Amino acid sequence: MISKTIQGQQRIIIENLSPQLDAGRFAVKAFVGDTIKVEADIFLDGHDQLAARLRYKFSTDETWTEKKMTFVNNDRYETSFEVSKNGFYTYTIEAWVDHAATWEHEIDMKIKDGQQVNVELLMGANILDKMSKIASKEDKTELKATAKIFRDNNTYNEAIAFTHSEKMHNWIEQYPDKQFTTTHKELKLWVDREKAAFSSWYSMFPRSASSKKGQHGTFKDVEENVLPRLKSLGFDVLYIPPIHPIGTQFRKGKNNSTTYLEGEPGVPYAIGSELGGHTDILPELGTLDDLKHLIATCQDMGIELAMDLAIQCSPDHPWAKEHPEWFKIRPDGTIQYAENPPKKYQDIYPINFESENWQGLWEELKTVIMTWAEWGVRIIRVDNPHTKAFGFWEWIIAEVQAVYPDMIFLAEAFTKPKVMAQLAKLGYTHSYTYYTWRNTKAELIGYMNELTKTEQALYMRPNFWANTHDILPWCLQTGLEPMFIIRYFMAATLSANYGIFGPVYEYMFNEGNPNKEEYKNSEKYEIKYWDWQMENKLTHVIRKTNEARIENSALQRTNNITFCDIQNDQVLAYLKTHPNGNKILSVVNLDPYNRQGGNVRIPLNLIHKHPDQEYIVHDLITGAKYVWRGEYNFIDLDPHIMPMHLFRIEDI
Amino acid sequence: MISKTIQGQQRIIIENLSPQLDAGRFAVKAFVGDTIKVEADIFLDGHDQLAARLRYKFSTDETWTEKKMTFVNNDRYETSFEVSKNGFYTYTIEAWVDHAATWEHEIDMKIKDGQQVNVELLMGANILDKMSKIASKEDKTELKATAKIFRDNNTYNEAIAFTHSEKMHNWIEQYPDKQFTTTHKELKLWVDREKAAFSSWYSMFPRSASSKKGQHGTFKDVEENVLPRLKSLGFDVLYIPPIHPIGTQFRKGKNNSTTYLEGEPGVPYAIGSELGGHTDILPELGTLDDLKHLIATCQDMGIELAMDLAIQCSPDHPWAKEHPEWFKIRPDGTIQYAENPPKKYQDIYPINFESENWQGLWEELKTVIMTWAEWGVRIIRVDNPHTKAFGFWEWIIAEVQAVYPDMIFLAEAFTKPKVMAQLAKLGYTHSYTYYTWRNTKAELIGYMNELTKTEQALYMRPNFWANTHDILPWCLQTGLEPMFIIRYFMAATLSANYGIFGPVYEYMFNEGNPNKEEYKNSEKYEIKYWDWQMENKLTHVIRKTNEARIENSALQRTNNITFCDIQNDQVLAYLKTHPNGNKILSVVNLDPYNRQGGNVRIPLNLIHKHPDQEYIVHDLITGAKYVWRGEYNFIDLDPHIMPMHLFRIEDI
């Protein structure tokens, strides 16, 4: 017996459809406005012709849009479609044996060979009859009339002439006989808003925003002191660590001390006290209304506020009392605090994702995010997502984006490569990356190519950070000004999404704890006072670079990068191009001590110049313009003057 | 609401399991005796430990066999299993959070740090209690006793000592707590018998087997004249074109003439007459009993008979009358003959796989193969499988191999690469290949690497043919003796499965039809007379090469090939090694006119020699032995003497 699931007459195979991720297990990602190129191997047995169409629709569309796929070579077909909306698209390919096209080709060969084709014309008449059943009213009449001509020996010559007419050809395309159609499994494409493609992040602690030394900063202080600076420097995302009540049990003191002095503010990540938890506000920062006001003021200035989701509790968090089942209970009845034996972190209770009441937990966490979303939050930075269950992230990101497709999630997963990749596959919009530790030319090129030229380009969006409030990398502990400039500049030009933790970055603060890549006197444990007006060479570079990013679309994407040859291991050169013609060449001296130079090889095909053609390279940091010609052009960079060029390539 | 399909507490991800083909859509292939290395990325959130096991079973096994997977690096785990039976195996991986192992690690760290671990011992006691529920009778008692020690403060030190005992460690491995286990989708592995790995084919027309000139050869003639020659030359598969009654309507004459003279035998591929079809025998060849006798005689001599399945009919085939619905019916009521417009092949009716009665057709074709199988046939060469529906092949190969797992199918699909690959994925044991047209060093290395070092190695088994009864490639039309030797030798040593169409090959017959890669006066259209005793230099090479193939396991596999550097584009050198220590180095001069030489670079790691160590290369064709040393050794090949070396690498 032949299984009833077998479609015996279906002859077409559709394979290797791209883009797709893990056989459709995960959605591929794109940005609003992208053109998605779809390709597949499509073939059948024998010599019959086939027809193939891409079908796609936005989640709320009722009907599919179809596009004809065109043959490339070696059984590969392609077409493309534009995605204009933020949300899910579904796409697939269907293909069928195109008997009409086969007939058209064969009768043509026979006519050219001088054969009698009376029987073939009868076949054609049958094809026309089939078409007439699905044709428009006008065509229906004409199709029937043509079939009559095909069947009548007296109009043999007229029929023959018609077989290779344009009208016949168009009918064959327009009224396909989709018998035994093969349809590929439907695939999903997630389309993010533009902000997910291009963003400049600035991270700071609101409690350090006061203009009065020794005073706890407030949301109002952020509005008054911080936002004008961000606007002036060109940042468009303000990311702040948790703003909730902070626990007092086992509160940490300055420099992560296990004891704290009266009045020390504690760590914002020890979330929750008798004043509330993840949907409550630390009174010292202001009220919920103050927060909403800050969000609104940000919006007015073209800045978005990113909140920080840390799924953990201080021992004083309401959940510890109300939902002890969401934590691990030790045999002595106490809740298990965080530990990395032999180290203990008694100020933190981690959540147990194996909880029997995991549904209740998930729903509560959804409530947290939905509450924030109601306040107006559309960007969430997630603290250590790699220590929470993968399945939870897949669920919650989908749940939230079903209501707020514009919600952006950044995964702070400084962890193993495959775990980092998995979080991106499951739905995270952005990922913190290893950029912070990629220093040499080989490391940088290798890492960028991994991100942009492998399968990772389908799902992983890097967000390059030169530092964070947790990380002061070794290279910055040198304190060298060129190093701060280089690391900032590369973050902002290699990746379209990047960030810094300030103002320690602008101040080029370089003191770490011994043998650790972390800040001494970290703001995680104390309130700081900053001059929010401070300007120096680095702020000049930041301002100019962000200006260039805003004005040049080539810098607003990441995967459009091409590294350029230059015979100097201390010089990194990379070109970014945009379909609108914008072309940016960055050249960076990686050596913070010495002048370095060489001949950069420009891929002329990408800048559309002839080998003997002159063009201008316009440095957007210094304003200088140079006339270059052809493929190889010399550069020389003194790190003490300016360790890089940010060239726009312009016509002469 | 959270979907009921979500396993919220399941925390482990298993990805990139290898081997697998198209996400498990197709079975991976292996041979009896193979060791299958299984790898996967396995990871979870956070810092808990995990345990992973491979599970596999043969189709008839009732229970799974389990093997522990070991950590390699970067979240990759591996193990392997041996396949000892011909048929389907199923395999998968399961992994779970190993809370016991995590506990063992953490309590160890705390004890070393000098911490009090009373609560941790209580956790351990709970773990021991859980183990005791699934433990053996003896262990159960001991587990319970140990749990008591863990719970008693008076035996604190004893308990502590036990936490890092070997017994504790073994219990953790032996009695896992498989809560919230993640199990990978089950994958299939098809295991073929040894013959599928290693075979030497000889193809000939039985009707040309007579020792009397002008007489129609018979199965008896094959037994008397052909089998002794095959045995002597070392072939172990005799492949014969169709042996069924031949149609008379539109019968082809000599050299594919559309008219035939009285007495001309016709083309064996025009299958079917009033005497019957695919399960009947052309009387001139003998009876069914004669065929069975031939099969038995072959078996006695260690040779297998391969039959030819051509799914097409002459107009006289019984199916044309009984099942016109299996063919395309033209509007004039006639059955559509084969054509490639403007060419017509009126002696052949192709089958219409879009037939409404496709089930009836499939069942009938299954009857054909099952009938042959009952006669004792276990190898089937399929003519032009790429002109029949893919779905049919997947079904019929599975149906036949469910009863006869030892059945070998060879796809004669000289067609586009992706179609050829698809047939192999769907179940074909062997594939004819592009070897026949790969001549230069770059072509040969590129093609071999595609077959053996890409995903194709999982499913595509090449069968290399120097010629076929349809194909006399240009290179052989030169008629040069070294070319016949080279092309034969490479087929037999690059691929473990190979074949020639004889005796034209041994005779070095080189006359083709003008501008065609086909034989003039082809045996497809006429009966030939041959001297089945003929010996020449080429038959000497064939005999010696087949002897070497039989005696050297390294030549009995294909994917074990490594090409060796040699700075001469006319010399091809390749090493094959077998785990049993057998090592064969082939060196071929591709230039049939001139002496060519150079220094072959031997990969010393593969032959297990030191750079200054001497070893013997023993030419298995000539018997000569040379002492070589280290990495680079000189060779020089005169094509007029012998265009190649077949070296066994031996210890001194």
Side-chain angles (χ1 to χ4, degrees):
Chain A
M1 287 304 297
I2 300 172
S3 158
K4 291 210 170 138
T5 62
I6 293 180
Q7 303 292 317
Q9 293 154 298
Q10 196 175 292
R11 293 165 55 203
I12 295 199
I13 305 289
I14 305 176
E15 275 196 339
N16 295 323
L17 196 165
S18 78
Q20 67 174 307
L21 187 52
D22 293 0
R25 164 70 182 86
F26 302 104
V28 167
K29 290 178 191 162
F31 302 117
V32 164
D34 277 358
T35 299
I36 312 298
K37 187 175 169 189
V38 179
E39 293 180 82
D41 298 338
I42 311 177
F43 50 88
L44 78 162
D45 61 276
H47 306 288
D48 288 335
Q49 305 212 19
L50 66 82
R53 292 197 187 163
L54 166 72
R55 291 161 65 82
Y56 67 95
K57 64 188 184 80
F58 186 68
S59 56
T60 54
D61 290 348
E62 302 252 314
T63 56
W64 295 90
T65 306
E66 294 192 356
K67 279 191 78 174
K68 187 184 170 180
M69 303 210 54
T70 51
F71 178 74
V72 187
N73 63 27
N74 193 13
D75 290 324
R76 195 103 183 126
Y77 288 73
E78 71 171 34
T79 189
S80 62
F81 67 109
E82 272 193 36
V83 288
S84 56
K85 293 180 202 163
N86 174 204
F88 269 116
Y89 282 77
T90 309
Y91 60 106
T92 181
I93 291 173
E94 61 168 26
W96 59 92
V97 187
D98 195 340
H99 287 299
T102 306
W103 167 86
E104 184 189 27
H105 170 72
E106 293 190 346
I107 197 170
D108 192 42
M109 301 297 289
K110 290 173 186 175
I111 291 167
K112 281 182 183 149
D113 190 50
Q115 296 179 21
Q116 277 296 108
V117 292
N118 305 66
V119 178
E120 286 75 8
L121 285 176
L122 294 178
M123 291 176 189
N126 292 343
I127 290 168
L128 292 166
D129 283 351
K130 267 199 170 179
M131 287 176 180
S132 73
K133 281 175 198 156
I134 53 168
S136 68
K137 216 166 185 180
E138 305 126 40
D139 282 353
K140 202 182 285 275
T141 317
E142 206 175 343
L143 281 158
K144 283 185 177 167
T146 311
K148 211 171 158 191
I149 294 167
F150 275 37
R151 286 198 174 92
D152 187 347
N153 277 335
N154 295 320
T155 50
Y156 182 83
N157 288 334
E158 191 183 338
I160 282 197
F162 194 84
T163 58
H164 44 269
S165 66
E166 201 178 318
K167 182 163 268 173
M168 186 76 214
H169 189 75
N170 289 344
W171 279 344
I172 287 171
E173 291 238 329
Q174 203 175 346
Y175 303 121
D177 180 13
K178 297 191 185 180
Q179 264 193 101
F180 319 132
T181 295
T182 298
T183 305
H184 195 277
K185 174 185 174 178
E186 289 179 13
L187 298 170
K188 290 220 162 187
L189 178 79
W190 173 258
V191 178
D192 277 300
R193 61 188 172 114
E194 175 65 19
K195 194 74 166 184
F198 172 56
S199 58
S200 312
W201 297 48
Y202 189 91
S203 147
M204 51 78 61
F205 282 79
R207 67 188 185 185
S208 299
S210 173
S211 50
K212 283 191 198 145
K213 203 162 184 173
Q215 196 157 312
H216 196 292
T218 64
F219 295 136
K220 282 207 180 84
D221 292 329
V222 173
E223 284 189 39
E224 279 167 29
N225 302 324
V226 182
L227 292 190
R229 179 176 180 84
L230 262 56
K231 185 73 191 167
S232 156
L233 290 177
F235 289 100
D236 59 16
V237 176
L238 165 60
Y239 149 56
I240 54 174
I243 53 171
H244 316 297
I246 297 172
T248 48
Q249 282 188 64
F250 298 100
R251 175 177 282 194
K252 294 289 180 72
K254 194 172 159 154
N255 272 316
N256 204 14
S257 163
T258 49
T259 56
Y260 77 105
L261 306 173
E262 189 58 36
E264 281 199 82
V267 183
Y269 291 92
I271 296 170
S273 75
E274 70 281 0
L275 298 176
H278 285 75
T279 49
D280 299 290
I281 311 286
L282 181 73
E284 287 84 343
L285 288 170
T287 64
L288 176 56
D289 280 338
D290 293 339
L291 176 66
K292 287 182 182 171
H293 194 273
L294 170 61
I295 292 171
T297 307
C298 281
Q299 267 166 358
D300 291 343
M301 297 175 74
I303 295 171
E304 286 195 47
L305 185 78
M307 294 253 296
D308 194 336
L309 179 66
I311 304 181
Q312 58 189 24
C313 298
S314 92
D316 307 306
H317 196 292
W319 293 345
K321 284 187 200 73
E322 293 161 18
H323 291 285
E325 81 277 12
W326 292 347
F327 304 88
K328 264 192 197 155
I329 307 297
R330 288 152 55 94
D332 63 357
T334 62
I335 290 179
Q336 177 69 60
Y337 48 81
E339 46 178 11
N340 181 16
K343 288 188 210 156
K344 301 175 179 186
Y345 308 99
Q346 289 171 284
D347 58 330
I348 301 289
Y349 286 172
I351 297 291
N352 175 21
F353 279 83
E354 288 181 357
S355 167
E356 300 222 347
N357 181 19
W358 60 272
Q359 289 101 331
L361 169 67
W362 287 21
E363 293 288 4
E364 175 71 14
L365 291 170
K366 182 178 164 186
T367 301
V368 168
I369 296 181
M370 295 308 257
T371 303
W372 295 3
E374 281 159 28
W375 297 346
V377 173
R378 288 295 181 279
I379 305 183
I380 296 175
R381 178 263 197 195
V382 178
D383 189 71
N384 283 334
H386 55 293
T387 59
K388 285 90 200 173
F390 294 110
F392 166 70
W393 293 122
E394 181 170 29
W395 175 80
I396 200 160
I397 292 171
E399 288 283 306
V400 172
Q401 290 186 334
V403 184
Y404 301 103
D406 52 345
M407 187 68 85
I408 288 172
F409 291 91
L410 163 63
E412 189 244 9
F414 288 115
T415 178
K416 301 179 289 179
K418 286 166 188 173
V419 173
M420 199 184 260
Q422 185 70 20
L423 291 165
K425 288 181 182 181
L426 292 170
Y428 270 93
T429 324
H430 284 184
S431 304
Y432 279 67
T433 67
Y434 303 129
Y435 167 70
T436 317
W437 301 276
R438 295 294 176 267
N439 298 292
T440 67
K441 182 172 176 176
E443 283 170 356
L444 287 159
I445 294 178
Y447 189 50
M448 282 305 294
N449 284 341
E450 180 186 322
L451 288 168
T452 65
K453 310 301 174 206
T454 72
E455 193 185 62
Q456 289 192 30
L458 295 179
Y459 61 87
M460 185 100 169
R461 270 83 159 267
N463 196 326
F464 275 12
W465 286 69
N467 72 328
T468 75
H469 60 254
D470 290 314
I471 307 164
L472 173 64
W474 301 127
C475 61
L476 298 181
Q477 296 194 26
T478 60
L480 298 166
E481 182 191 73
M483 192 55 102
F484 277 84
I485 294 177
I486 292 166
R487 295 300 301 174
Y488 166 80
F489 179 78
M490 291 197 299
T493 52
L494 287 168
S495 173
N497 298 296
Y498 84 102
I500 56 168
F501 167 61
V504 288
Y505 199 88
E506 304 99 276
Y507 275 88
M508 294 182 257
F509 189 83
N510 72 317
E511 200 175 357
N513 282 322
N515 298 315
K516 290 197 168 158
E517 288 189 301
E518 60 186 31
Y519 283 97
K520 188 173 178 184
N521 303 324
S522 166
E523 285 190 67
K524 281 166 73 177
Y525 311 103
E526 59 186 281
I527 294 171
K528 298 274 180 180
Y529 166 78
W530 300 106
D531 172 7
W532 295 96
Q533 313 290 335
M534 188 276 286
E535 294 285 347
N536 60 11
K537 185 168 167 184
L538 178 52
T539 58
H540 174 75
V541 168
I542 292 174
R543 187 173 286 112
K544 284 292 179 182
T545 305
N546 277 336
E547 264 175 38
R549 282 167 50 88
I550 291 163
E551 284 165 15
N552 292 278
S553 4
L555 291 172
Q556 296 169 9
R557 290 294 182 275
T558 302
N559 295 345
N560 58 340
I561 197 166
T562 304
F563 286 93
C564 306
D565 285 345
I566 174 165
Q567 301 304 310
N568 183 330
D569 280 352
Q570 294 294 342
V571 184
L572 186 70
Y574 43 102
L575 177 71
K576 285 192 166 186
T577 60
H578 190 274
N580 69 8
N582 187 244
K583 298 178 274 286
I584 298 289
L585 174 71
S586 302
V587 189
V588 185
N589 176 1
L590 299 170
D591 177 352
Y593 301 102
N594 305 298
R595 272 174 69 174
Q596 297 282 355
N599 280 296
V600 192
R601 183 185 180 189
I602 313 298
L604 293 184
N605 61 320
L606 295 182
I607 64 164
H608 307 293
K609 301 288 173 219
H610 302 298
D612 53 358
Q613 200 174 347
E614 293 189 335
Y615 50 92
I616 289 169
V617 293
H618 176 181
D619 193 319
L620 302 177
I621 306 288
T622 63
K625 294 186 179 190
Y626 309 86
V627 176
W628 279 13
R629 189 171 134 149
E631 205 169 5
Y632 288 94
N633 290 278
F634 188 72
I635 61 92
D636 179 45
L637 290 162
D638 183 335
H640 305 295
I641 300 170
M642 198 55 91
M644 73 282 170
H645 287 302
L646 179 60
F647 284 140
R648 180 161 59 211
I649 295 176
E650 299 170 359
D651 288 337
I652 218 148
Chain B
M1 289 303 299
I2 300 173
S3 158
K4 292 213 168 132
T5 62
I6 293 181
Q7 304 291 316
Q9 293 154 298
Q10 196 175 291
R11 292 167 54 203
I12 295 200
I13 304 289
I14 305 175
E15 276 196 340
N16 295 322
L17 196 165
S18 77
Q20 67 174 305
L21 188 51
D22 293 359
R25 163 70 183 85
F26 302 104
V28 167
K29 292 177 189 163
F31 302 116
V32 165
D34 276 359
T35 299
I36 312 298
K37 187 175 169 189
V38 180
E39 293 180 83
D41 297 339
I42 311 178
F43 51 87
L44 78 160
D45 61 278
H47 306 289
D48 287 335
Q49 304 212 20
L50 66 83
R53 292 198 187 161
L54 166 73
R55 292 161 64 82
Y56 66 96
K57 65 188 184 78
F58 187 67
S59 57
T60 55
D61 288 349
E62 303 252 314
T63 57
W64 296 90
T65 305
E66 293 191 358
K67 280 191 77 172
K68 187 185 168 179
M69 303 210 53
T70 52
F71 178 73
V72 186
N73 63 28
N74 194 12
D75 291 323
R76 195 105 183 125
Y77 288 73
E78 71 171 34
T79 188
S80 62
F81 68 108
E82 273 194 33
V83 289
S84 56
K85 292 181 203 163
N86 176 203
F88 269 114
Y89 282 77
T90 308
Y91 61 106
T92 182
I93 290 173
E94 61 169 25
W96 60 92
V97 187
D98 196 341
H99 287 299
T102 306
W103 168 86
E104 184 190 28
H105 170 73
E106 294 190 346
I107 197 170
D108 193 41
M109 299 298 288
K110 290 172 185 175
I111 291 167
K112 282 183 182 149
D113 189 51
Q115 299 179 20
Q116 277 295 108
V117 292
N118 304 66
V119 177
E120 286 75 8
L121 286 175
L122 293 178
M123 291 177 189
N126 292 343
I127 290 169
L128 292 165
D129 283 350
K130 268 198 169 179
M131 288 177 179
S132 73
K133 282 176 196 156
I134 53 168
S136 68
K137 217 169 184 177
E138 306 125 41
D139 282 353
K140 203 182 286 276
T141 317
E142 206 174 342
L143 282 158
K144 282 183 178 168
T146 311
K148 212 173 158 190
I149 294 167
F150 275 37
R151 288 199 172 94
D152 187 346
N153 277 335
N154 296 318
T155 51
Y156 182 82
N157 288 335
E158 191 183 339
I160 281 198
F162 194 84
T163 59
H164 44 268
S165 67
E166 201 178 320
K167 184 165 268 174
M168 185 75 213
H169 189 75
N170 290 343
W171 278 344
I172 287 172
E173 290 239 327
Q174 204 175 344
Y175 303 121
D177 179 13
K178 296 192 188 180
Q179 262 194 101
F180 319 133
T181 295
T182 297
T183 306
H184 194 277
K185 174 184 174 180
E186 288 179 13
L187 298 170
K188 289 222 161 187
L189 178 79
W190 173 258
V191 179
D192 277 300
R193 62 189 171 113
E194 176 63 20
K195 194 73 166 185
F198 173 56
S199 57
S200 313
W201 296 48
Y202 190 93
S203 148
M204 51 78 62
F205 282 80
R207 67 189 185 186
S208 298
S210 173
S211 52
K212 282 193 195 143
K213 203 163 184 172
Q215 198 157 311
H216 196 291
T218 64
F219 294 136
K220 281 206 180 85
D221 293 328
V222 173
E223 284 189 39
E224 279 167 30
N225 302 324
V226 181
L227 291 190
R229 179 176 180 84
L230 262 54
K231 185 73 190 165
S232 156
L233 290 177
F235 290 99
D236 58 16
V237 176
L238 166 60
Y239 150 55
I240 55 174
I243 54 170
H244 316 296
I246 298 173
T248 48
Q249 282 187 64
F250 298 100
R251 174 178 281 195
K252 295 291 179 73
K254 193 173 158 155
N255 272 316
N256 204 14
S257 163
T258 49
T259 56
Y260 77 105
L261 305 174
E262 189 60 37
E264 282 199 84
V267 183
Y269 291 92
I271 296 169
S273 76
E274 70 282 359
L275 298 175
H278 285 73
T279 49
D280 299 289
I281 311 283
L282 181 75
E284 286 86 342
L285 289 170
T287 64
L288 176 56
D289 281 339
D290 293 340
L291 175 66
K292 287 181 181 174
H293 194 272
L294 170 62
I295 291 171
T297 307
C298 279
Q299 266 166 359
D300 290 345
M301 297 173 75
I303 295 171
E304 286 195 47
L305 185 77
M307 293 252 298
D308 195 337
L309 178 65
I311 304 183
Q312 58 190 25
C313 299
S314 93
D316 306 306
H317 195 292
W319 292 344
K321 283 188 200 72
E322 294 162 17
H323 291 285
E325 81 278 11
W326 292 347
F327 304 88
K328 263 192 196 154
I329 306 296
R330 286 153 54 96
D332 64 355
T334 61
I335 291 178
Q336 178 68 60
Y337 47 82
E339 46 179 10
N340 181 14
K343 288 187 209 157
K344 302 175 178 186
Y345 307 100
Q346 288 170 285
D347 58 330
I348 301 290
Y349 286 172
I351 297 290
N352 174 22
F353 278 83
E354 288 181 358
S355 167
E356 301 222 347
N357 182 17
W358 60 272
Q359 289 100 332
L361 169 68
W362 288 19
E363 293 288 4
E364 176 70 15
L365 292 170
K366 181 179 165 185
T367 302
V368 169
I369 297 181
M370 295 308 259
T371 303
W372 296 3
E374 280 160 28
W375 297 345
V377 174
R378 289 293 181 278
I379 305 183
I380 295 175
R381 177 264 196 194
V382 178
D383 189 71
N384 283 334
H386 55 292
T387 59
K388 286 89 198 174
F390 294 110
F392 165 70
W393 293 123
E394 181 170 30
W395 175 81
I396 201 162
I397 292 171
E399 288 283 306
V400 172
Q401 290 185 334
V403 184
Y404 302 102
D406 52 345
M407 188 67 86
I408 288 172
F409 290 91
L410 164 62
E412 189 243 9
F414 288 114
T415 179
K416 301 178 290 180
K418 287 167 188 173
V419 173
M420 198 184 259
Q422 186 69 20
L423 291 164
K425 287 181 182 181
L426 291 170
Y428 271 92
T429 325
H430 283 183
S431 304
Y432 280 67
T433 67
Y434 303 129
Y435 167 71
T436 316
W437 302 275
R438 295 294 176 269
N439 299 293
T440 67
K441 182 172 177 176
E443 284 170 356
L444 288 159
I445 293 178
Y447 190 50
M448 283 306 293
N449 283 340
E450 180 186 323
L451 288 168
T452 64
K453 310 299 174 208
T454 72
E455 193 185 64
Q456 289 192 30
L458 296 178
Y459 62 87
M460 185 100 171
R461 271 83 159 267
N463 197 324
F464 275 12
W465 286 69
N467 72 329
T468 75
H469 59 252
D470 291 314
I471 306 163
L472 174 64
W474 301 126
C475 62
L476 298 181
Q477 295 195 27
T478 61
L480 298 165
E481 182 191 74
M483 193 55 102
F484 277 84
I485 294 177
I486 292 166
R487 296 299 302 173
Y488 165 79
F489 179 78
M490 290 197 300
T493 51
L494 287 168
S495 174
N497 298 296
Y498 84 102
I500 56 168
F501 167 61
V504 286
Y505 199 89
E506 304 99 278
Y507 274 89
M508 294 183 256
F509 188 84
N510 71 318
E511 199 174 358
N513 282 323
N515 298 316
K516 290 196 170 161
E517 288 190 301
E518 61 184 32
Y519 283 97
K520 188 173 179 185
N521 303 324
S522 165
E523 284 190 68
K524 280 165 72 176
Y525 310 104
E526 61 186 281
I527 295 171
K528 299 272 181 181
Y529 166 79
W530 300 105
D531 171 8
W532 296 95
Q533 313 289 334
M534 189 278 287
E535 296 282 350
N536 59 12
K537 185 169 168 184
L538 178 53
T539 58
H540 173 75
V541 168
I542 292 173
R543 188 173 285 111
K544 284 292 179 182
T545 304
N546 276 336
E547 264 176 37
R549 282 168 50 88
I550 291 163
E551 285 167 14
N552 292 278
S553 1
L555 291 172
Q556 295 168 12
R557 290 295 183 274
T558 302
N559 295 345
N560 58 341
I561 197 166
T562 304
F563 286 93
C564 306
D565 286 344
I566 174 166
Q567 301 302 313
N568 183 329
D569 280 351
Q570 294 294 340
V571 183
L572 186 71
Y574 42 101
L575 177 71
K576 285 191 166 188
T577 60
H578 190 275
N580 69 8
N582 186 243
K583 296 177 275 286
I584 298 288
L585 173 71
S586 302
V587 189
V588 185
N589 176 0
L590 298 170
D591 177 351
Y593 301 102
N594 305 297
R595 273 174 68 175
Q596 297 283 355
N599 280 297
V600 191
R601 183 186 179 188
I602 313 298
L604 294 183
N605 61 321
L606 296 181
I607 66 165
H608 306 292
K609 301 289 173 216
H610 302 297
D612 55 356
Q613 200 175 348
E614 292 189 334
Y615 50 92
I616 288 168
V617 292
H618 176 182
D619 192 320
L620 303 176
I621 306 290
T622 64
K625 293 186 179 190
Y626 308 87
V627 176
W628 280 13
R629 188 170 133 151
E631 204 168 4
Y632 287 93
N633 290 278
F634 188 73
I635 61 91
D636 179 46
L637 290 162
D638 183 336
H640 305 293
I641 299 169
M642 198 56 92
M644 74 282 171
H645 287 303
L646 179 60
F647 284 140
R648 180 161 59 212
I649 296 175
E650 299 170 358
D651 288 336
I652 219 146

